[in-house]
Amino acid sequence: MRLVADVMTPAPRCLAPDDSVRQAAQVMDELNVGALPVCEGRRVVGILTDRDIAVRVMARALAVSTTPVHAVMSRDVLCCYEDVPVEEAAALMRRGRVRRMPVLDRRRRIVGMVSLGDVATKASAELAGQALQEITEPTAAGSGPEQAVLPRRRGTRSPGTVLK
């Protein structure tokens, strides 16, 4: 059984909430990625995607040089833990309709990023394909990561959480 820690990209580059959208876009371009976690220290406080930039920045005609990341980032971040099986993380991504998510240790500090691409190339192309098929299907308005997270009870080891 492969764990998320086995397939994730470790030690991801993080943005600070006060970084400009221009800086964020430059980092995305440099790293050839479509999403970056936004962190205060090692705590995830949001995620910025290329879609956030296209929809929130461009549609509102915001200045990329002066608009801080925190003004346009997604705040409800679907995350998973590094010690859960890849199958559970893929199921969480499928239910949350996300292609990539931050990976946390059990102290809720960021340790990596996992994408469906990571799942496909390092674990199971079939598993990633099933998740991608569901993610790309049209959905009812209002569904999102907040409905995808399994309940967390003290002392349990759920596969993921939504940080708000």
Side-chain angles (χ1 to χ4, degrees), residues 29-85:
D29 184 41
E30 172 190 328
L31 299 176
N32 193 30
V33 297
L36 289 168
V38 181
C39 301
E40 291 176 347
R42 291 186 58 200
R43 300 277 180 200
V44 176
V45 296
I47 193 162
L48 185 73
T49 66
D50 46 9
R51 186 177 188 283
D52 292 330
I53 293 171
V55 173
R56 295 186 182 140
V57 176
M58 301 308 294
R60 297 176 193 164
L62 299 174
V64 294
S65 296
T66 58
T67 300
V69 166
H70 70 80
V72 294
M73 71 184 186
S74 297
R75 295 180 188 282
D76 295 340
V77 184
L78 184 62
C79 299
C80 70
Y81 294 109
E82 64 184 335
D83 60 356
V84 299

Coordinates of all heavy atoms in Angstrom, one line a residue, residues 29-85:
D29 N 4.9 30.2 -13.2 CA 5.5 30.1 -14.5 C 6.9 29.4 -14.3 O 7.2 28.5 -15.1 CB 5.7 31.4 -15.1 CG 6.2 31.4 -16.5 OD1 5.8 30.5 -17.3 OD2 7.1 32.2 -16.9
E30 N 7.7 29.8 -13.4 CA 9.0 29.3 -13.1 C 8.9 27.8 -12.8 O 9.7 27.0 -13.3 CB 9.6 30.0 -12.0 CG 10.9 29.5 -11.5 CD 11.4 30.2 -10.2 OE1 11.1 31.4 -10.0 OE2 12.0 29.5 -9.3
L31 N 8.0 27.4 -12.0 CA 7.9 26.0 -11.6 C 7.0 25.2 -12.5 O 6.9 24.0 -12.3 CB 7.3 25.9 -10.1 CG 8.2 26.6 -9.1 CD1 7.5 26.6 -7.7 CD2 9.5 26.0 -9.0
N32 N 6.3 25.8 -13.4 CA 5.3 25.1 -14.3 C 4.3 24.4 -13.5 O 4.0 23.2 -13.7 CB 6.1 24.2 -15.3 CG 5.2 23.7 -16.4 OD1 4.3 24.5 -16.8 ND2 5.4 22.5 -16.9
V33 N 3.6 25.1 -12.6 CA 2.5 24.6 -11.8 C 1.3 25.5 -11.9 O 1.4 26.6 -12.2 CB 2.9 24.4 -10.3 CG1 4.1 23.4 -10.2 CG2 3.3 25.7 -9.7
G34 N 0.2 24.9 -11.6 CA -1.1 25.7 -11.6 C -1.7 26.0 -10.3 O -2.7 26.6 -10.2
A35 N -1.0 25.7 -9.2 CA -1.5 26.0 -7.9 C -0.3 26.1 -6.9 O 0.7 25.3 -7.0 CB -2.5 24.9 -7.4
L36 N -0.4 27.0 -6.0 CA 0.6 27.1 -4.9 C -0.1 27.3 -3.6 O -1.0 28.1 -3.5 CB 1.5 28.3 -5.2 CG 2.5 28.2 -6.4 CD1 3.1 29.5 -6.7 CD2 3.6 27.2 -6.1
P37 N 0.4 26.7 -2.6 CA -0.2 26.9 -1.2 C 0.3 28.3 -0.7 O 1.3 28.8 -1.0 CB 0.5 25.8 -0.4 CG 1.7 25.4 -1.1 CD 1.5 25.7 -2.6
V38 N -0.6 28.9 0.0 CA -0.4 30.2 0.7 C -0.2 29.8 2.2 O -1.1 29.2 2.8 CB -1.5 31.2 0.4 CG1 -1.2 32.5 1.1 CG2 -1.7 31.4 -1.1
C39 N 1.0 30.2 2.7 CA 1.3 29.8 4.1 C 1.8 31.0 4.9 O 2.4 31.9 4.5 CB 2.4 28.7 4.0 SG 2.0 27.3 3.1
E40 N 1.5 30.8 6.2 CA 2.1 31.7 7.2 C 3.0 30.7 8.0 O 2.5 29.8 8.7 CB 1.0 32.3 8.1 CG 0.2 33.3 7.4 CD -1.0 33.9 8.2 OE1 -1.3 33.3 9.3 OE2 -1.5 34.9 7.8
G41 N 4.3 30.8 7.8 CA 5.2 29.8 8.3 C 4.9 28.6 7.6 O 4.9 28.5 6.4
R42 N 4.7 27.5 8.3 CA 4.4 26.2 7.7 C 2.9 25.8 7.8 O 2.5 24.7 7.5 CB 5.2 25.1 8.3 CG 6.7 25.3 8.0 CD 7.6 24.2 8.4 NE 7.2 22.9 7.9 CZ 7.5 21.7 8.5 NH1 8.3 21.7 9.5 NH2 7.1 20.6 8.0
R43 N 2.1 26.8 8.1 CA 0.6 26.6 8.2 C -0.1 27.1 6.9 O 0.1 28.3 6.5 CB 0.0 27.4 9.4 CG 0.6 27.0 10.7 CD -0.1 25.8 11.3 NE 0.4 25.5 12.6 CZ 0.3 24.3 13.1 NH1 -0.3 23.4 12.5 NH2 0.9 24.0 14.3
V44 N -0.8 26.2 6.3 CA -1.6 26.6 5.1 C -2.7 27.5 5.5 O -3.6 27.1 6.4 CB -2.1 25.3 4.4 CG1 -2.9 25.7 3.2 CG2 -0.9 24.5 4.0
V45 N -2.8 28.6 4.8 CA -4.0 29.6 5.1 C -4.8 29.7 3.8 O -5.9 30.4 3.8 CB -3.5 30.9 5.6 CG1 -2.9 30.8 7.0 CG2 -2.6 31.6 4.6
G46 N -4.3 29.2 2.7 CA -5.1 29.3 1.4 C -4.3 28.6 0.3 O -3.3 28.0 0.5
I47 N -4.9 28.7 -0.8 CA -4.2 28.2 -2.0 C -4.6 29.1 -3.2 O -5.7 29.7 -3.2 CB -4.7 26.7 -2.4 CG1 -3.8 26.1 -3.4 CG2 -6.1 26.6 -2.8 CD1 -3.8 24.6 -3.5
L48 N -3.6 29.4 -4.0 CA -3.8 30.2 -5.2 C -3.6 29.4 -6.4 O -2.6 28.7 -6.6 CB -2.8 31.4 -5.2 CG -3.1 32.4 -6.3 CD1 -4.3 33.2 -6.0 CD2 -1.9 33.3 -6.6
T49 N -4.6 29.4 -7.3 CA -4.6 28.6 -8.5 C -4.5 29.6 -9.7 O -4.9 30.7 -9.6 CB -5.8 27.7 -8.7 OG1 -7.0 28.5 -8.8 CG2 -6.0 26.8 -7.5
D50 N -4.1 29.0 -10.8 CA -4.2 29.8 -12.1 C -5.6 30.3 -12.4 O -5.8 31.3 -12.9 CB -3.5 29.0 -13.2 CG -4.0 27.6 -13.4 OD1 -5.0 27.2 -12.7 OD2 -3.4 26.9 -14.2
R51 N -6.6 29.5 -12.0 CA -8.0 29.9 -12.2 C -8.3 31.0 -11.3 O -9.1 31.9 -11.7 CB -8.9 28.7 -11.9 CG -10.3 29.0 -12.2 CD -11.2 27.8 -12.0 NE -12.6 28.0 -12.4 CZ -13.5 28.8 -11.8 NH1 -13.2 29.3 -10.7 NH2 -14.7 28.9 -12.3
D52 N -7.8 31.1 -10.1 CA -8.1 32.2 -9.2 C -7.6 33.5 -9.8 O -8.2 34.6 -9.8 CB -7.4 32.1 -7.8 CG -7.9 31.0 -7.0 OD1 -9.2 30.7 -7.1 OD2 -7.2 30.4 -6.2
I53 N -6.4 33.4 -10.4 CA -5.8 34.6 -11.1 C -6.7 35.0 -12.3 O -7.1 36.2 -12.4 CB -4.4 34.3 -11.5 CG1 -3.5 34.2 -10.3 CG2 -3.8 35.4 -12.4 CD1 -2.1 33.7 -10.6
A54 N -7.0 34.0 -13.1 CA -7.8 34.3 -14.3 C -9.2 34.9 -14.0 O -9.7 35.9 -14.6 CB -8.0 33.1 -15.2
V55 N -9.9 34.3 -13.0 CA -11.3 34.6 -12.7 C -11.3 35.8 -11.8 O -12.0 36.8 -12.1 CB -12.0 33.4 -12.2 CG1 -13.4 33.9 -11.7 CG2 -12.2 32.4 -13.2
R56 N -10.6 35.8 -10.7 CA -10.7 36.8 -9.7 C -9.9 38.1 -10.0 O -10.4 39.2 -9.7 CB -10.3 36.3 -8.3 CG -11.3 35.2 -7.8 CD -11.0 34.8 -6.4 NE -11.9 33.7 -6.1 CZ -11.6 32.6 -5.4 NH1 -10.4 32.5 -4.9 NH2 -12.5 31.7 -5.1
V57 N -8.8 37.9 -10.5 CA -7.9 39.1 -10.8 C -8.3 39.7 -12.2 O -8.6 40.9 -12.2 CB -6.4 38.7 -10.8 CG1 -5.6 39.9 -11.2 CG2 -6.0 38.2 -9.4
M58 N -8.3 38.9 -13.2 CA -8.6 39.5 -14.5 C -10.0 40.0 -14.7 O -10.3 41.0 -15.2 CB -8.3 38.4 -15.6 CG -6.8 38.0 -15.6 SD -5.6 39.3 -15.6 CE -5.9 40.0 -17.2
A59 N -11.0 39.2 -14.2 CA -12.4 39.6 -14.4 C -12.7 40.9 -13.6 O -13.6 41.6 -14.0 CB -13.3 38.5 -13.9
R60 N -12.0 41.1 -12.5 CA -12.2 42.3 -11.7 C -11.3 43.4 -12.1 O -11.3 44.5 -11.4 CB -12.1 42.0 -10.2 CG -13.1 41.0 -9.7 CD -12.8 40.6 -8.2 NE -13.5 39.4 -7.8 CZ -13.2 38.8 -6.7 NH1 -12.2 39.1 -6.0 NH2 -13.9 37.7 -6.4
A61 N -10.4 43.2 -13.0 CA -9.5 44.2 -13.5 C -8.6 44.7 -12.4 O -8.3 45.9 -12.3 CB -10.2 45.3 -14.3
L62 N -8.1 43.8 -11.5 CA -7.2 44.2 -10.4 C -5.8 44.3 -10.9 O -5.4 43.7 -11.9 CB -7.3 43.1 -9.3 CG -8.7 42.9 -8.7 CD1 -8.6 41.7 -7.7 CD2 -9.2 44.1 -8.0
A63 N -5.1 45.2 -10.3 CA -3.7 45.4 -10.6 C -2.8 44.2 -10.1 O -2.7 44.0 -8.9 CB -3.2 46.7 -10.1
V64 N -2.2 43.5 -11.0 CA -1.4 42.3 -10.5 C -0.2 42.7 -9.7 O 0.2 41.9 -8.8 CB -1.0 41.4 -11.7 CG1 -2.2 40.8 -12.4 CG2 -0.1 42.2 -12.7
S65 N 0.3 43.9 -9.9 CA 1.5 44.3 -9.1 C 1.2 44.7 -7.7 O 2.1 44.6 -6.8 CB 2.2 45.4 -9.8 OG 2.7 45.0 -11.1
T66 N 0.0 45.1 -7.5 CA -0.3 45.6 -6.1 C -1.4 44.8 -5.4 O -1.6 45.0 -4.2 CB -0.8 47.1 -6.2 OG1 -2.0 47.1 -7.1 CG2 0.3 48.0 -6.7
T67 N -2.0 43.9 -6.1 CA -3.0 43.0 -5.4 C -2.3 41.9 -4.7 O -1.6 41.1 -5.3 CB -4.0 42.4 -6.5 OG1 -4.7 43.5 -7.1 CG2 -5.0 41.5 -5.8
P68 N -2.6 41.8 -3.4 CA -1.9 40.7 -2.6 C -2.6 39.4 -2.8 O -3.8 39.4 -3.1 CB -2.1 41.2 -1.2 CG -3.3 42.1 -1.1 CD -3.3 42.7 -2.5
V69 N -1.9 38.3 -2.7 CA -2.4 37.0 -2.9 C -3.6 36.8 -2.0 O -4.6 36.2 -2.4 CB -1.3 36.0 -2.6 CG1 -1.9 34.6 -2.5 CG2 -0.3 36.0 -3.8
H70 N -3.6 37.2 -0.8 CA -4.7 37.0 0.2 C -6.0 37.5 -0.3 O -7.1 37.1 0.1 CB -4.4 37.4 1.6 CG -4.3 38.9 1.8 ND1 -5.5 39.7 1.9 CD2 -3.3 39.8 1.8 CE1 -5.1 40.9 2.1 NE2 -3.8 41.0 2.0
A71 N -6.0 38.5 -1.2 CA -7.2 39.1 -1.7 C -8.0 38.2 -2.7 O -9.2 38.4 -2.9 CB -6.9 40.5 -2.3
V72 N -7.3 37.3 -3.3 CA -7.9 36.5 -4.4 C -7.7 35.0 -4.2 O -8.2 34.2 -5.0 CB -7.3 36.9 -5.7 CG1 -7.8 38.3 -6.1 CG2 -5.8 36.8 -5.8
M73 N -7.0 34.6 -3.1 CA -6.8 33.1 -2.9 C -8.0 32.4 -2.5 O -9.0 33.1 -2.0 CB -5.7 32.9 -1.9 CG -6.1 33.3 -0.5 SD -4.7 33.1 0.7 CE -5.6 33.4 2.2
S74 N -8.1 31.1 -2.7 CA -9.1 30.3 -2.1 C -8.8 30.0 -0.7 O -7.7 29.5 -0.4 CB -9.3 29.0 -2.9 OG -9.6 29.3 -4.3
R75 N -9.7 30.3 0.2 CA -9.5 30.1 1.6 C -9.9 28.7 2.2 O -9.3 28.2 3.1 CB -10.2 31.2 2.4 CG -9.7 32.6 2.1 CD -10.4 33.7 2.9 NE -10.0 35.0 2.4 CZ -8.8 35.6 2.8 NH1 -8.0 35.0 3.6 NH2 -8.5 36.7 2.3
D76 N -10.9 28.1 1.6 CA -11.3 26.8 2.0 C -10.4 25.8 1.3 O -10.6 25.5 0.1 CB -12.7 26.5 1.7 CG -13.6 27.4 2.5 OD1 -13.2 28.0 3.6 OD2 -14.8 27.6 2.1
V77 N -9.4 25.3 2.0 CA -8.4 24.5 1.3 C -8.5 23.0 1.7 O -8.5 22.7 2.9 CB -6.9 24.9 1.7 CG1 -5.9 24.1 0.9 CG2 -6.8 26.4 1.4
L78 N -8.7 22.2 0.7 CA -8.8 20.7 0.9 C -7.4 20.2 1.0 O -6.6 20.4 0.1 CB -9.6 20.1 -0.2 CG -9.8 18.6 -0.1 CD1 -10.7 18.3 1.1 CD2 -10.5 18.0 -1.3
C79 N -7.1 19.6 2.1 CA -5.7 19.0 2.4 C -5.9 17.6 2.8 O -6.9 17.1 3.2 CB -5.1 19.8 3.6 SG -4.8 21.5 3.3
C80 N -4.8 16.9 2.7 CA -4.7 15.5 3.2 C -3.5 15.3 4.0 O -2.6 16.2 4.0 CB -4.8 14.5 2.0 SG -3.3 14.4 1.0
Y81 N -3.4 14.2 4.7 CA -2.2 13.9 5.5 C -1.3 13.0 4.8 O -1.7 12.2 3.9 CB -2.7 13.3 6.8 CG -3.5 14.2 7.7 CD1 -4.8 14.1 7.9 CD2 -2.9 15.3 8.3 CE1 -5.6 14.9 8.6 CE2 -3.6 16.2 9.1 CZ -5.0 16.0 9.2 OH -5.7 16.9 10.0
E82 N 0.0 13.1 5.1 CA 1.1 12.4 4.4 C 1.0 10.9 4.7 O 1.5 10.1 3.9 CB 2.4 12.9 4.8 CG 2.7 12.7 6.3 CD 4.1 13.4 6.7 OE1 4.9 13.5 5.9 OE2 4.2 13.6 7.9
D83 N 0.4 10.5 5.8 CA 0.4 9.1 6.2 C -0.9 8.3 5.8 O -1.1 7.2 6.3 CB 0.6 8.9 7.7 CG -0.4 9.6 8.5 OD1 -1.3 10.3 8.0 OD2 -0.3 9.5 9.8
V84 N -1.7 8.9 4.8 CA -2.9 8.1 4.4 C -2.6 7.4 3.1 O -1.7 7.9 2.3 CB -4.1 9.0 4.3 CG1 -4.5 9.7 5.6 CG2 -3.9 10.1 3.2
P85 N -3.3 6.3 2.8 CA -3.1 5.7 1.5 C -3.4 6.6 0.3 O -4.3 7.4 0.4 CB -4.0 4.5 1.6 CG -4.2 4.2 3.1 CD -4.2 5.6 3.7

